Amino acid sequence: MEHKEKFYLQIADNALILSHRLSEYCSNAPFLEEDLANTNVALDLIGLAESVYTELASQKGTGTADDYAYRRTEEQFFNCTMTELDYPDFAHLMVRQFFMDNFHFHFFSELVHSKDEFLSALALKSIKEVTYHLRRSSEWIIRMGDGTEEAHQRMIAAIERMWSHHEELFTPSEADLEMLNNNVAPNLSRIKELCMQKVQEIFYFAKLAVPETIPNAYQGKKGIHTEQMGHILSEMQFLPGKYPEAVW
Amino acid sequence: MTVQAVIEQEKLAQFEAKIENEIKIEPNDWMPEDYRKHLIRQISQHAHSEVIGMQPEGNWITRAPSLRSKKILLAKIQDEGGHGLYLYAAAETLGVSREQFISWLHEGKAKYASVFNYPTLNWADIGAIGWLVDGAAITNQVSLQRTSYGPYSRAMVRICKEESFHQRQGYEIMWRMMEGTKDQQRMAQDALNRWWWPSLMMFGPHDTDSPRSEKAIQWKIKRESNDRLREKFINKTIPQAELIGLKVPDPELRLNEDGTYQHGDINWDEFYAVINGNGPCNKQRLQHHIKAHQDGAWVRETAAIHQQKMNNHGKH
């Protein structure tokens, strides 16, 4: 696979798998407004993934966006593993969201300057949405960190779980490096600096400690996922997999 | 007659004059206690229905078979949740909090539309809900746009606009499946077989067996009778089914000379069984709502405590 295609897929797959996790939370939120907000973010992310898949299909002159979502196997997905993780409570859901929103915000802010016209336009459009996502998840981090003692404890547990996947976001794949050399991709070291500043700022207000960096142990960008990824795909791809001839 | 009684009578006369002249009743207007109670019951039941309805549809979000259908379904469920919000807000103007409405739901004192106590078993059920359940709901809600209570009427105007999209989107799912493979056609027919009768039941008992209807029609809360609305829905829906090759599961269905339809008997035993808590999913739906609410208690609490801290901080 070409590095460019893989770089596109890293972006789209993060969005698709994260939206899957958010959308399964529908009707489970602590109150109705929050249920709607979650669904809204899930919708934005599906839209993001779909536009990248559509562009890829059009550049290759074959297939459709749905083929990318529904007809690839686990090792052909290049999302970071944090997006796949299940979540025992709202704290886990929102800590993951904050880390991903933060990453997306800074990543897209830089990607605007990409030499790749499609990605630059995509980034410009996405920033508007992601700015809102990040504001929302940041506010929740503060409410939970600096609210009740129970919420604070839940936050500590959630941060511990998600933090071990945080470094993966900034660990460059071959595609990241190649696209950086071609002035298509942002420099992930720079993105990490910006993300860490935001984590420190929000955690300060939330009265939460920023953990020490944990070296990356995950390789989602190489198509090596957690055990949960197979379950996500078997659920998501169930109908097209079972009825391959059907058009829905 | 006491002075108080005379005043009450005058207020009642003014209220009835407004109803008579199609002037909306607003939250601060005087209204008979029974009118208020009827509205509290009806609007909150309507709000709960929108919210509980998110569950059977939510059952298929993660398995929606295309990105487009996933987006449409997510947006639809989001709309339903939004309708729940408008309706809770309309109901709150009658002096009861949303928290109280939710407690009544959890205690079994408030109901929601019985149709959501049926399971969604295949993808075509998502089509059938949009087409039939939303279709039945619109038939009722279009007439409720003219309901006498202002906030309820205005909520209905907004809701109807969105529901008509849902109905078309649901029909589109069915239509695509009927154009598709044998398996898809089988699923579509299976979904219609299971959702047809529950959809007809959504309009409630026959007029002769509907004790609250008379007063509600007199007060113009309800603008058309259960049977009249049901007939409208049937007359509109059967040609739609036939157009795409679906067979309505009613062997006694006849086309009258005037173009309307005569249908078979509705199974009222089933209707009352489901209303009384013995449908296939009653316990599951309520338990799900209770669990989500309980699981979220610490989140609501921390949000409130944090807000308090911020307010105190602001005062220093």
Side-chain angles (χ1 to χ4, degrees):
Chain A
M1 183 181 287
E2 274 185 47
H3 286 311
K4 184 175 157 193
E5 182 181 4
K6 198 161 163 263
F7 182 69
Y8 271 52
L9 287 175
Q10 286 174 192
I11 297 170
D13 294 347
N14 272 341
L16 182 70
I17 302 302
L18 185 58
S19 82
H20 181 94
R21 282 307 194 194
L22 281 173
S23 66
E24 69 188 359
Y25 195 64
C26 180
S27 84
N28 289 289
F31 49 95
L32 198 46
E33 286 83 346
E34 212 41 51
D35 219 302
L36 302 188
N38 254 321
T39 317
N40 220 15
V41 178
L43 266 170
D44 287 345
L45 291 169
I46 295 178
L48 169 63
E50 189 181 26
S51 61
V52 177
Y53 294 146
T54 304
E55 174 66 16
L56 267 180
S58 132
Q59 286 184 11
K60 291 183 80 175
T62 170
T64 64
D66 280 351
D67 290 337
Y68 281 101
Y70 290 94
R71 306 213 189 257
R72 279 183 300 154
T73 54
E74 223 178 307
E75 70 278 10
Q76 294 168 324
F77 275 81
F78 302 112
N79 53 289
C80 291
T81 53
M82 188 193 285
T83 59
E84 308 160 16
L85 303 179
D86 62 2
Y87 41 94
D89 63 10
F90 187 74
H92 282 72
L93 182 88
M94 204 46 83
V95 166
R96 182 241 310 272
Q97 197 57 40
F98 169 64
F99 288 151
M100 289 306 301
D101 292 343
N102 192 23
F103 174 74
H104 276 150
F105 177 80
H106 293 295
F107 182 82
F108 288 129
S109 298
E110 295 287 312
L111 193 65
V112 169
H113 309 297
S114 173
K115 218 178 72 184
D116 183 303
E117 279 180 20
F118 168 77
L119 290 179
S120 166
L122 176 86
L124 199 60
K125 178 177 177 290
S126 299
I127 284 173
K128 288 179 196 153
E129 296 170 351
V130 170
T131 302
Y132 156 74
H133 300 171
L134 179 60
R135 198 177 72 203
R136 168 176 171 260
S137 55
S138 300
E139 284 170 359
W140 270 115
I141 298 301
I142 296 169
R143 278 187 208 115
M144 289 192 280
D146 184 26
T148 61
E149 180 55 26
E150 180 186 355
H152 188 82
Q153 291 306 322
R154 285 176 183 266
M155 284 299 283
I156 290 173
I159 291 165
E160 192 184 337
R161 168 107 187 276
M162 296 298 165
W163 193 251
S164 57
H165 294 261
H166 194 241
E167 197 60 21
E168 185 190 7
L169 296 171
F170 314 105
T171 306
S173 64
E174 283 180 27
D176 285 323
L177 294 172
E178 180 71 19
M179 289 300 103
L180 174 62
N181 284 337
N182 292 343
N183 297 320
V184 168
N187 185 334
L188 287 180
S189 311
R190 173 73 185 138
I191 305 293
K192 183 180 171 183
E193 270 174 42
L194 296 167
C195 283
M196 287 307 296
Q197 279 172 18
K198 184 74 179 177
V199 169
Q200 270 153 5
E201 175 202 328
I202 297 302
F203 278 26
Y204 170 78
F205 288 116
K207 303 194 169 119
L208 290 161
V210 179
E212 294 286 322
T213 299
I214 299 174
N216 177 39
Y218 299 98
Q219 304 186 75
K221 292 183 195 178
K222 285 186 180 168
I224 301 170
H225 293 276
T226 64
E227 290 180 348
Q228 303 196 27
M229 184 68 175
H231 294 281
I232 291 177
L233 293 187
S234 58
E235 187 171 343
M236 184 167 80
Q237 299 176 337
F238 149 69
L239 279 171
K242 186 163 182 181
Y243 305 104
E245 305 304 321
V247 177
W248 303 91
Chain B
M1 190 178 279
T2 64
V3 176
Q4 188 62 30
V6 172
I7 293 172
E8 289 287 309
Q9 217 169 40
E10 270 176 25
K11 285 177 177 169
L12 182 63
Q14 282 171 4
F15 169 83
E16 284 173 346
K18 279 186 188 163
I19 299 278
E20 175 65 26
N21 294 314
E22 300 286 338
I23 297 169
K24 299 288 181 221
I25 306 300
E26 296 299 337
N28 294 329
D29 293 349
W30 183 90
M31 61 187 85
E33 217 29 51
D34 280 352
Y35 178 84
R36 184 185 297 275
K37 277 187 190 156
H38 190 106
L39 281 169
I40 286 174
R41 188 185 57 78
Q42 181 168 334
I43 304 175
S44 67
Q45 177 172 326
H46 195 160
H48 295 325
S49 302
E50 300 281 0
V51 172
I52 296 289
M54 295 165 76
Q55 292 180 39
E57 299 192 287
N59 183 35
W60 279 90
I61 295 174
T62 57
R63 291 177 294 169
S66 68
L67 292 170
R68 179 174 178 270
S69 64
K70 196 187 282 279
K71 282 193 303 185
I72 290 174
L73 180 58
L74 261 173
K76 174 179 195 285
I77 296 174
Q78 195 183 32
D79 285 349
E80 309 296 5
H83 298 172
L85 279 180
Y86 306 156
L87 288 162
Y88 282 128
E92 281 184 314
T93 62
L94 295 157
V96 182
S97 70
R98 198 202 308 181
E99 196 59 32
Q100 180 63 66
F101 285 126
I102 292 174
S103 294
W104 284 337
L105 174 70
H106 291 177
E107 291 160 14
K109 292 179 186 162
K111 293 195 185 306
Y112 54 87
S114 267
V115 74
F116 297 122
N117 290 316
Y118 291 87
T120 47
L121 301 178
N122 82 54
W123 171 249
D125 287 36
I126 297 307
I129 288 186
W131 174 39
L132 301 174
V133 176
D134 287 63
I138 296 168
T139 311
N140 190 23
Q141 287 164 358
V142 163
S143 101
L144 281 175
Q145 291 180 104
R146 295 185 297 122
T147 193
S148 57
Y149 188 57
Y152 192 28
S153 160
R154 289 188 286 273
M156 278 303 129
V157 171
R158 286 186 71 170
I159 288 172
C160 279
K161 282 184 191 154
E162 294 177 351
E163 295 288 13
S164 65
F165 272 111
H166 300 166
Q167 205 245 351
R168 270 178 273 170
Q169 288 161 347
Y171 187 62
E172 190 202 292
I173 290 178
M174 299 302 264
W175 167 73
R176 274 175 186 253
M177 290 182 79
M178 290 306 288
E179 293 264 287
T181 65
K182 286 266 178 282
D183 280 319
Q184 286 176 295
Q185 292 169 5
R186 172 182 54 75
M187 285 185 242
Q189 183 62 53
D190 172 51
L192 175 61
N193 292 349
R194 284 180 289 104
W195 288 95
W196 175 253
W197 292 105
S199 302
L200 296 193
M201 291 177 198
M202 282 176 70
F203 296 95
H206 285 310
D207 299 341
T208 45
D209 303 321
S210 183
R212 291 199 192 94
S213 282
E214 200 181 329
K215 197 102 194 201
I217 286 193
Q218 184 196 325
W219 281 332
K220 297 186 181 171
I221 294 175
K222 199 177 161 104
R223 303 302 307 242
E224 287 183 89
S225 77
N226 294 353
D227 285 328
R228 173 77 193 115
L229 290 166
R230 186 165 22 240
E231 296 313 317
K232 274 190 179 176
F233 171 72
I234 290 173
N235 294 340
K236 181 177 70 176
T237 307
I238 289 175
Q240 293 172 348
E242 287 171 349
L243 185 68
I244 57 176
L246 282 166
K247 191 169 164 26
V248 173
D250 180 356
E252 293 169 47
L253 195 68
R254 300 279 176 276
L255 180 62
N256 296 325
E257 277 182 7
D258 62 359
T260 62
Y261 289 86
Q262 183 134 3
H263 63 84
D265 288 338
I266 292 171
N267 183 347
W268 294 113
D269 290 342
E270 179 181 324
F271 172 79
Y272 287 110
V274 180
I275 276 200
N276 291 322
N278 296 314
C281 299
N282 295 57
K283 290 182 184 65
Q284 175 188 333
R285 300 284 184 245
L286 195 56
Q287 274 310 312
H288 180 109
H289 197 275
I290 291 172
K291 183 175 185 305
H293 194 70
Q294 286 174 350
D295 287 351
W298 69 268
V299 181
R300 296 190 297 275
E301 192 191 351
T302 195
I305 295 286
H306 178 74
Q307 189 57 49
Q308 238 171 49
K309 285 186 186 181
M310 290 297 99
N311 293 347
N312 292 341
H313 189 69
K315 281 177 199 157
H316 293 309

